[in-house]
Amino acid sequence: MAIEPNPEAVILTEIMLAVFRVNGRLLEKGDQLVEPLNLTSARWQVLGAVALAEKPLSAPQIAEAMGITRQGAQKQLNKLEEDGFFEQSLNPRHQRSPLYALTELGNCTFAKVMTLEAIWANGLVAGLSLQDLRKTLQTLNSIYERLDFPVPRKGGRS
Amino acid sequence: MAIEPNPEAVILTEIMLAVFRVNGRLLEKGDQLVEPLNLTSARWQVLGAVALAEKPLSAPQIAEAMGITRQGAQKQLNKLEEDGFFEQSLNPRHQRSPLYALTELGNCTFAKVMTLEAIWANGLVAGLSLQDLRKTLQTLNSIYERLDFPVPRKGGRS
DNA sequence: TAAACATTGACAACTGGTTTTCAATGGTGG
DNA sequence: CCACCATTGAAAACCAGTTGTCAATGTTTA
């Protein structure tokens, strides 16, 4: 009657709980890290998406890069533009959908964030082995890929 | 001028991004998994907290067990009680703060969730090595502990 | 070219968290 | 006993995301 999870599944479940905890703490610490720059973790991520692309992007492109919905990205963009981190330019390919580029302030702020992040991460890894970290990254990526498969559904033969 | 992140810090940063991605996907899949039972990932977690305690808990106790604020837990509890998963009983230690216990429906539903989760996790780990999973769990826990330390702040000697 | 379809921004409502405030309870020290 | 302080539930405002709808704009195709 009762399904017996095999040993690997038990550890996997513990990993899931650990991911939840680490995720929460990362957002919390990330907010603290960039708070002096008038940013949050969410706003930081938007800056990063455009900085990484190294060219202006439209709102839907930014959403895609971030893995969130276009409406979610738009909300942040509107606020970030208000605060002077982004400026719009005309999109030759779509009149109603402007491109967003980092302003001087945006670029300068993101550079500061990268420095802060590097200092923070350097302090955080003290004593962790490169090999363990590589293995962990590999395993997490592997789990992520497996999560692509649909969840088993009652009678789900499709 | 530019801070150079050491190789460990680079991998750690990639692990952070992986944690964000896995976290998002886990919530998504968790929602799908328990949706037929009129639950969500968040509601599932509340059931789990009380089921694990094996005795009725007050709202603040549940919040503490879940690592969220008491107001956040209360919101879920109110809905879960409405839906028949929990019932209140008088708290001898506090007249205004009832204890929440799983109802028959609550217990039965949580048992089903555990079965679904076991099947899902069993399918998910196929081909992953127990040793790698253990190492990953260990590393994540280690990172979590290090995240306890406050973020480095400009001039933060306190 | 015109009709059909897809993309887009704005807006509203929702989920699941947070913080803040307030009044009611509970405990403790004088 | 009572004044003070901590805990608690309720409510409101907020953050960060979601879904859904609508009208405007692009694109494709018949």
Side-chain angles (χ1 to χ4, degrees):
Chain A
M1 203 70 227
I3 273 63
E4 307 200 356
N6 54 44
E8 286 85 358
V10 172
I11 303 294
L12 177 61
T13 301
E14 289 176 42
I15 289 176
M16 292 178 186
L17 298 177
V19 165
F20 292 146
R21 283 192 300 268
V22 171
N23 181 77
R25 199 94 109 195
L26 281 178
L27 290 181
E28 180 190 331
K29 294 296 167 179
D31 281 345
Q32 292 172 13
L33 191 71
V34 298
E35 185 257 309
L37 298 169
N38 191 25
L39 288 180
T40 62
S41 293
R43 290 154 66 90
W44 168 9
Q45 205 192 340
V46 181
L47 284 248
V50 176
L52 192 69
E54 294 184 320
K55 65 178 181 189
L57 297 179
S58 70
Q61 286 174 326
I62 293 168
E64 159 130 44
M66 294 175 61
I68 64 175
T69 60
R70 112 196 116 79
Q71 293 91 331
Q74 188 77 57
K75 272 193 193 175
Q76 295 294 346
L77 280 168
N78 291 340
K79 283 185 243 162
L80 285 165
E81 196 203 349
E82 234 176 87
D83 284 0
F85 294 104
F86 281 106
E87 62 192 349
Q88 294 186 7
S89 61
L90 286 187
N91 184 348
R93 306 192 42 189
H94 199 307
Q95 175 176 342
R96 272 187 61 200
S97 186
L99 300 178
Y100 292 87
L102 288 171
T103 59
E104 188 60 33
L105 172 65
N107 270 308
C108 176
T109 301
F110 187 68
K112 286 183 195 156
V113 171
M114 280 197 301
T115 298
L116 281 178
E117 205 270 342
I119 296 173
W120 180 49
N122 277 343
L124 218 46
V125 287
L128 290 178
S129 106
L130 184 55
Q131 206 173 8
D132 285 359
L133 290 168
R134 285 222 177 94
K135 182 57 89 179
T136 297
L137 176 59
Q138 189 183 314
T139 304
L140 284 176
N141 283 334
S142 174
I143 291 171
Y144 181 71
E145 280 161 30
R146 285 149 196 268
L147 284 171
D148 245 342
F149 291 102
V151 129
R153 295 297 292 270
K154 203 182 279 181
R157 200 180 298 273
S158 67
Chain B
M1 205 68 227
I3 273 63
E4 306 200 358
N6 55 44
E8 287 84 0
V10 172
I11 303 294
L12 177 62
T13 300
E14 288 176 42
I15 290 176
M16 292 179 185
L17 298 177
V19 165
F20 292 146
R21 282 192 301 266
V22 171
N23 180 79
R25 198 94 111 197
L26 281 177
L27 291 181
E28 179 190 331
K29 294 296 167 178
D31 282 345
Q32 292 172 14
L33 190 71
V34 299
E35 183 257 312
L37 298 169
N38 191 23
L39 287 180
T40 62
S41 294
R43 289 154 67 90
W44 168 11
Q45 205 191 340
V46 181
L47 285 245
V50 176
L52 191 69
E54 294 182 321
K55 64 178 181 187
L57 297 179
S58 69
Q61 286 173 326
I62 293 169
E64 161 131 39
M66 294 176 61
I68 64 174
T69 61
R70 112 195 118 80
Q71 295 89 332
Q74 187 78 57
K75 270 193 194 177
Q76 295 294 345
L77 281 169
N78 291 340
K79 283 187 242 164
L80 285 164
E81 196 203 350
E82 236 176 84
D83 284 1
F85 294 104
F86 281 106
E87 61 193 351
Q88 294 185 8
S89 61
L90 286 188
N91 183 349
R93 305 190 44 187
H94 200 307
Q95 178 175 340
R96 273 185 63 200
S97 186
L99 300 177
Y100 292 87
L102 289 171
T103 58
E104 187 60 32
L105 173 65
N107 271 307
C108 176
T109 301
F110 187 68
K112 286 183 194 156
V113 171
M114 280 198 300
T115 299
L116 281 179
E117 205 270 342
I119 296 172
W120 180 48
N122 276 344
L124 217 47
V125 286
L128 289 179
S129 108
L130 184 54
Q131 205 174 8
D132 285 358
L133 290 168
R134 285 220 177 97
K135 181 58 89 180
T136 296
L137 176 57
Q138 189 185 314
T139 304
L140 284 177
N141 283 333
S142 173
I143 290 171
Y144 181 71
E145 280 161 29
R146 284 150 196 267
L147 285 171
D148 246 342
F149 290 101
V151 128
R153 296 296 293 270
K154 201 182 282 183
R157 198 180 300 274
S158 68

